[in-house]
Amino acid sequence: MQPNLTSSRPWWKEPMVWLIAGLPATAVVASFITYFIAAHDPDSLVKADYRKEGFAVVAPASDADKTAAALGLSARLTTRNGQMELVLQGHLAGTPRQLALNIVHPTQEKQDIHVLLEHSHELSYIAPAPDMGSGKRILVLEPVDRTWRITGQWMAPFSGMTELVAAASNPSTHP
């Protein structure tokens, strides 16, 4: 006796239908879930006071930057034996007792460090060197009253010397 070949099951009871249609349907559902997660709470790789100019992320020049440029301010920051020393150069009317050095991580605000440099002698300031991970850091130096600001970059861990300069306008990053 031959089996009945004409008997058929409904389409939803066929395992091959679920294999062929189920996997792409699962991928579509997963893509919508991924989109919802990404759109609901996106990470910002550019901090609030920076802007994208082409492929470069640049900080807009502020009045504090323009004041520092007018005063001809610059600084040399060195670290040695766990101590940071900053020598300020320029045409200041008075010598601030303290300077604030903000060591800014380019993308993760939680890794920013704020150091208060104490006046040592003449235009020299010192503070203990902070302990941090490795990577690029943006240095922002300003007095406590924030009347001027000079900036620089440093690769952490800190060693050696770097220059901080006033930026009256943003340098062009385009060819």
Side-chain angles (χ1 to χ4, degrees):
M1 201 166 187
Q2 277 191 331
N4 187 1
L5 296 176
T6 60
S7 70
S8 66
R9 298 189 296 189
W11 68 269
W12 64 85
K13 289 187 177 182
E14 291 292 331
M16 197 54 100
V17 169
W18 292 110
L19 182 65
I20 292 171
L23 289 176
T26 304
V28 169
V29 170
S31 67
F32 280 115
I33 292 171
T34 304
Y35 171 76
F36 175 76
I37 292 170
H40 180 64
D41 191 22
D43 290 337
S44 174
L45 294 180
V46 178
K47 288 190 175 185
D49 58 344
Y50 284 75
R51 72 173 192 278
K52 262 189 113 166
E53 188 175 290
F55 286 113
V57 176
V58 294
S62 68
D63 290 339
D65 293 320
K66 293 173 186 171
T67 302
L71 293 170
L73 293 179
S74 66
R76 185 181 355 237
L77 180 65
T78 56
T79 60
R80 142 178 32 155
N81 301 327
Q83 189 81 5
M84 291 187 341
E85 180 180 8
L86 182 126
V87 177
L88 190 61
Q89 299 167 346
H91 308 290
L92 286 174
T95 305
R97 288 183 17 100
Q98 296 177 326
L99 294 176
L101 178 66
N102 299 311
I103 304 168
V104 180
H105 189 279
T107 59
Q108 298 175 1
E109 196 169 346
K110 291 180 181 177
Q111 291 190 20
D112 293 356
I113 297 176
H114 307 287
V115 177
L116 202 56
L117 296 159
E118 296 290 335
H119 184 254
S120 172
H121 61 279
E122 302 218 2
L123 290 177
S124 180
Y125 297 83
I126 59 171
D131 186 29
M132 68 180 65
S134 61
K136 179 182 174 182
R137 298 295 190 268
I138 298 166
L139 304 175
V140 179
L141 180 71
E142 54 193 1
V144 179
D145 62 2
R146 296 183 172 194
T147 53
W148 52 264
R149 173 174 83 172
I150 58 177
T151 60
Q153 293 183 10
W154 200 324
M155 288 298 289
F158 292 145
S159 65
M161 187 265 310
T162 192
E163 289 279 328
L164 288 84
V165 295
S169 62
N170 293 322
S172 176
T173 57
H174 301 288

